[in-house]
Amino acid sequence: MPFDYKKEYKEFYLPPKTPSIVTVPAMNFLAVRGQGDPNEENGTYQKALGMLYAVAFTIKMSKLGKDKPEGYFDYVVPPLEGLWWQEGLCGVDYAHKEHFRWISLIRLPDFVTQEVFDWAIREASEKKKQDFSSVEFFRWEEGLCVQCMHLGPYDDEPATVAAMEEYVKARGYTEDFGENRFHHEIYLSDVRRCKPERMKTVIRHPVKKAEQYME
């Protein structure tokens, strides 16, 4: 059976419907950065997703060619993730999506080194006749966070976020947005096939101990 990150690391991909605290270790990702409304038809965000998946599947299908990476194991391509922020704001303002800045991500298996990544970019570029230079090899350690499974459409996320904020405050934590500390979403449902009320999205926010609780 192919290795499935969602099943093997349920603490990161399948959290409960109520908030919980988690420490997220360093991971490697494919990443594309951009800004603007993700719902814009044929916009920057949609193009970024196309590039991410093209490179992700180039790596996955390398098992069929002469360039199969050392240490390769069969796996399910991990779910799409997104880091979101707006300049000058703590958290995000859902009413002004045009001001979003974002980093779209797909997790990489551990066998993907910088060398394997560079090969995949060249391979995808040659096959697709497209410039993939905006795709990055992105290593990121998220650290201490609060997370929750959000059920329903994206526009209903503020209620889940409010529950997360209440949870951390009651336990002596405070949200810790800043450099490399973002509103984080992991998309477990295919928006093209799933009814809005059944969509599953992991929401994760960085936290730290509140000053009055620090030793």
Side-chain angles (χ1 to χ4, degrees):
M1 292 289 290
F3 188 90
D4 189 335
Y5 285 87
K6 298 189 301 298
K7 295 178 180 178
E8 299 297 331
Y9 295 101
K10 292 181 180 180
E11 67 270 32
F12 302 134
Y13 297 100
L14 296 172
K17 301 173 188 177
T18 53
S20 58
I21 299 293
V22 64
T23 300
V24 186
M27 302 177 189
N28 294 332
F29 297 88
L30 296 172
V32 177
R33 301 170 188 262
Q35 60 186 63
D37 189 339
N39 298 318
E40 180 184 354
E41 188 173 355
N42 296 319
T44 305
Y45 182 75
Q46 299 300 325
K47 293 176 182 177
L49 301 194
M51 288 190 289
L52 283 178
Y53 279 110
V55 178
F57 278 95
T58 295
I59 295 170
K60 175 176 170 59
M61 301 312 295
S62 64
K63 64 182 179 180
L64 301 179
K66 61 181 177 60
D67 296 303
K68 180 179 177 180
E70 183 178 353
Y72 181 97
F73 56 85
D74 199 13
Y75 65 100
V76 177
V77 172
L80 177 70
E81 308 185 31
L83 309 178
W84 302 88
W85 72 98
Q86 290 153 316
E87 293 298 323
L89 289 182
C90 181
V92 295
D93 178 0
Y94 293 86
H96 292 283
K97 296 176 182 177
E98 71 276 12
H99 296 155
F100 272 139
R101 295 176 181 269
W102 41 263
I103 306 174
S104 292
L105 307 168
I106 294 178
R107 184 176 179 177
L108 289 169
D110 290 342
F111 67 79
V112 179
T113 62
Q114 181 71 52
E115 183 179 7
V116 172
F117 168 82
D118 292 341
W119 166 84
I121 295 296
R122 293 194 303 270
E123 186 77 1
S125 299
E126 291 175 6
K127 288 188 175 181
K128 300 288 185 179
K129 307 302 180 185
Q130 183 180 343
D131 181 9
F132 285 89
S133 61
S134 60
V135 182
E136 303 174 30
F137 183 89
F138 183 72
R139 183 167 178 81
W140 185 47
E141 184 172 358
E142 197 165 11
L144 190 65
C145 296
V146 60
Q147 66 181 12
C148 187
M149 181 69 77
H150 170 72
L151 302 179
Y154 302 135
D155 286 343
D156 289 350
E157 287 184 6
T160 299
V161 168
M164 292 165 59
E165 292 171 348
E166 183 177 344
Y167 176 88
V168 298
K169 184 177 180 180
R171 284 157 180 78
Y173 293 90
T174 184
E175 293 188 323
D176 186 32
F177 294 105
E179 186 177 0
N180 294 322
R181 305 282 277 163
F182 307 108
H183 173 92
H184 185 179
E185 299 182 357
I186 304 175
Y187 308 105
L188 302 179
S189 303
D190 186 337
V191 69
R192 300 167 299 178
R193 297 181 174 87
C194 186
K195 293 181 178 180
E197 64 271 18
R198 295 185 178 179
M199 289 173 55
K200 294 181 179 181
T201 307
V202 179
I203 300 178
R204 188 180 294 158
H205 281 181
V207 298
K208 63 181 179 180
K209 272 290 187 180
E211 289 185 8
Q212 62 267 37
Y213 295 96
M214 296 178 68
E215 296 181 356

